[in-house]
Amino acid sequence: MNKAVEPLAGFKAEAAEAVPRAKILLVDDEPKSLYALQQLLSTLEQDLLTAPSGEEALRLVLENDFAVILLDVRMPGIDGFETARLIRSRERSRHTPIIFLTAAADEMASMFRGYEVGAVDYLMKPVVPDVLKSKVAVFVELHAKSERLRESEDKLRRLAAHLISIREEERAHIAREIHDELGQVLTGLKMEVVWLAKHLREKELIDKTDSMGKLIDSTVQTVRKIATGLRPEMLDDMGLIAAVAWQAREFQKRTGIRCRVKLPPEGARLDIDLSTTMFRIFQEILTNVARHARATRVDIELDVAADRIALDVADNGVGISDSNRRGKKSLGLLGMHERALLFGGEVRISGRESHGTRVCVSIPLRDRA
């Protein structure tokens, strides 16, 4: 009985730990006011940080993510309005809720200015305790939901990365099996047919073995094409730069669309996972060009810098509409964005109807060991 209860208890403890305490910033140059706010909000059981000045508040905002900031308007040095403006100017804290607290007589003008710099609410001192606690509790709950949503997105993205990795491994394994096992069988069969042809005398039978030999050769080519489609040997053996050049040649040969390719000199080998990601994105771009662009030329440029790898593909086709560029209904475009995002990169798609389409992929290079 005890053994059955222990895992449940552990699960409950883990679930409780999974809900982090939110951080709330209290900013006021009056120590008594800060103390009063701390006592008032302590019942919310969250992490309360205090700052006696706008300068200290900005330092704390740089180091922490806050669910909500309670900000006094009238402070020496940097006042509440300027502090709020600077908080809003930083990307990390751009959307942090700010509640202004003031005892100023010119409430109306002060209130308008507060909303202009990004306040979500404006309370007069002395505040009504229940009102303040309820407002702060709302933002704490919103923050908790945002954190849970971010965590879910992160888990889904890690799962997607895992599934992509497994799929690539499976494709590589199947490609090797097809190439090695089936290729050997077909090669052996071709040798047997050649031997048989040498020992036959009847022209009809010799013609039949010749036909069989051609059929085997055609099957060998098909097997190689399937294996290469699953996982190009060029990518594993020679790296991304060679694989991009090969894929561009194959694309031009298959579609008749002229490809102008600009590649960097062969350098250090890139991480195989990153190379695979960039190559698959490149394949998807070319697939979209073949299906939708009605282009006659594609310009391809791959650049490998010290800190970033970039791919630029532009066609002279019919262009792309705004709705298609957003890619909400295109799994191919969504797949490109997700693959790049897994490595901290981005995919930018631009273009106008009748003026071609440009796809720019940029992924930072970092130590993935």
Side-chain angles (χ1 to χ4, degrees):
M1 184 69 177
N2 290 338
K3 290 183 179 179
V5 173
E6 286 175 3
L8 181 60
F11 174 78
K12 288 181 178 178
E14 184 178 344
E17 292 175 0
V19 182
R21 290 161 64 97
K23 293 181 179 179
I24 302 171
L25 179 59
L26 314 175
V27 188
D28 200 310
D29 64 312
E30 289 290 337
K32 290 182 180 180
S33 296
L34 277 181
Y35 180 76
L37 287 173
Q38 284 180 290
Q39 294 301 306
L40 178 61
L41 299 177
S42 61
T43 57
L44 296 178
E45 297 184 347
Q46 306 298 325
D47 292 337
L48 305 176
L49 281 69
T50 62
S53 65
E55 292 86 350
E56 178 65 14
L58 292 173
R59 187 186 68 79
L60 290 173
V61 169
L62 285 175
E63 299 172 353
N64 301 274
D65 290 319
F66 292 103
V68 60
I69 299 173
L70 273 62
L71 184 58
D72 184 36
V73 171
R74 305 297 177 184
M75 294 186 296
I78 301 179
D79 65 9
F81 299 122
E82 181 63 14
T83 301
R85 189 188 66 77
L86 292 172
I87 289 173
R88 290 293 190 194
S89 68
R90 293 181 170 88
E91 185 63 32
R92 180 174 175 177
S93 56
R94 185 181 302 276
H95 302 293
T96 302
I98 298 173
I99 298 177
F100 274 126
L101 304 175
T102 184
D106 53 340
E107 300 101 4
M108 192 58 66
S110 180
M111 186 180 298
F112 284 140
R113 188 179 174 192
Y115 286 128
E116 284 178 353
V117 295
V120 297
D121 211 338
Y122 210 100
L123 299 178
M124 303 298 167
K125 295 179 181 179
V127 297
V128 179
D130 289 341
V131 172
L132 179 61
K133 283 201 296 186
S134 64
K135 289 180 180 292
V136 171
V138 168
F139 290 115
V140 167
E141 179 61 25
L142 287 174
H143 179 75
K145 289 181 178 179
S146 297
E147 288 298 312
R148 286 194 291 269
L149 181 60
R150 248 194 307 270
E151 189 175 313
S152 296
E153 289 177 346
D154 184 57
K155 288 179 180 178
L156 287 173
R157 192 151 282 129
R158 290 203 304 269
L159 176 60
H162 179 64
L163 293 176
I164 289 173
S165 177
I166 290 176
R167 185 174 64 181
E168 289 295 341
E169 290 175 5
E170 285 295 317
R171 292 176 74 161
H173 174 72
I174 294 171
R176 283 193 299 268
E177 290 292 318
I178 290 175
H179 182 273
D180 296 343
E181 299 296 330
L182 195 53
Q184 288 180 8
V185 170
L186 289 171
T187 301
L189 187 59
K190 177 65 181 292
M191 293 173 65
E192 295 292 335
V193 170
V194 171
W195 180 90
L196 183 61
K198 289 180 179 179
H199 291 78
L200 293 174
R201 295 292 179 266
E202 297 182 27
K203 185 178 184 304
E204 184 177 353
L205 294 178
I206 293 174
D207 291 343
K208 179 61 69 175
T209 55
D210 184 57
S211 175
M212 291 171 62
K214 291 179 180 178
L215 182 59
I216 293 171
D217 290 339
S218 175
T219 305
V220 169
Q221 293 300 318
T222 301
V223 166
R224 288 177 179 171
K225 182 179 178 181
I226 292 173
T228 301
L230 286 169
R231 178 74 180 187
E233 290 183 340
M234 183 80 68
L235 182 62
D236 294 318
D237 296 339
M238 302 185 67
L240 176 64
I241 296 173
V244 167
W246 168 81
Q247 186 66 71
R249 288 195 301 270
E250 290 295 309
F251 176 78
Q252 179 171 298
K253 187 189 306 181
R254 186 176 72 253
T255 64
I257 300 174
R258 185 160 49 96
C259 294
R260 297 195 301 190
V261 185
K262 182 179 179 181
L263 300 173
E266 294 286 347
R269 292 293 294 271
L270 298 169
D271 175 88
I272 187 61
D273 291 334
L274 177 58
S275 296
T276 300
T277 292
M278 186 63 85
F279 183 74
R280 293 303 186 195
I281 292 174
F282 179 53
Q283 283 185 315
E284 183 62 36
I285 294 172
L286 293 184
T287 298
N288 287 333
V289 171
R291 287 178 179 173
H292 309 296
R294 299 204 293 273
T296 59
R297 190 188 75 247
V298 179
D299 295 324
I300 302 160
E301 182 175 358
L302 180 67
D303 181 58
V304 181
D307 62 340
R308 185 169 294 274
I309 179 170
L311 175 67
D312 187 284
V313 182
D315 65 63
N316 66 343
V318 298
I320 186 170
S321 64
D322 290 338
S323 59
N324 289 333
R325 184 164 62 243
R326 297 187 189 99
K328 292 182 178 179
K329 296 182 180 179
S330 172
L331 294 179
L333 295 181
L334 288 174
M336 289 194 300
H337 284 287
E338 283 300 312
R339 280 182 179 271
L341 197 57
L342 290 174
F343 287 81
E346 62 176 348
V347 177
R348 298 191 307 276
I349 303 173
S350 60
R352 292 180 298 153
E353 293 189 32
S354 303
H355 289 80
T357 303
R358 179 181 297 274
V359 181
C360 301
V361 186
S362 179
I363 298 179
L365 297 176
R366 57 179 183 268
D367 185 10
R368 295 177 50 82

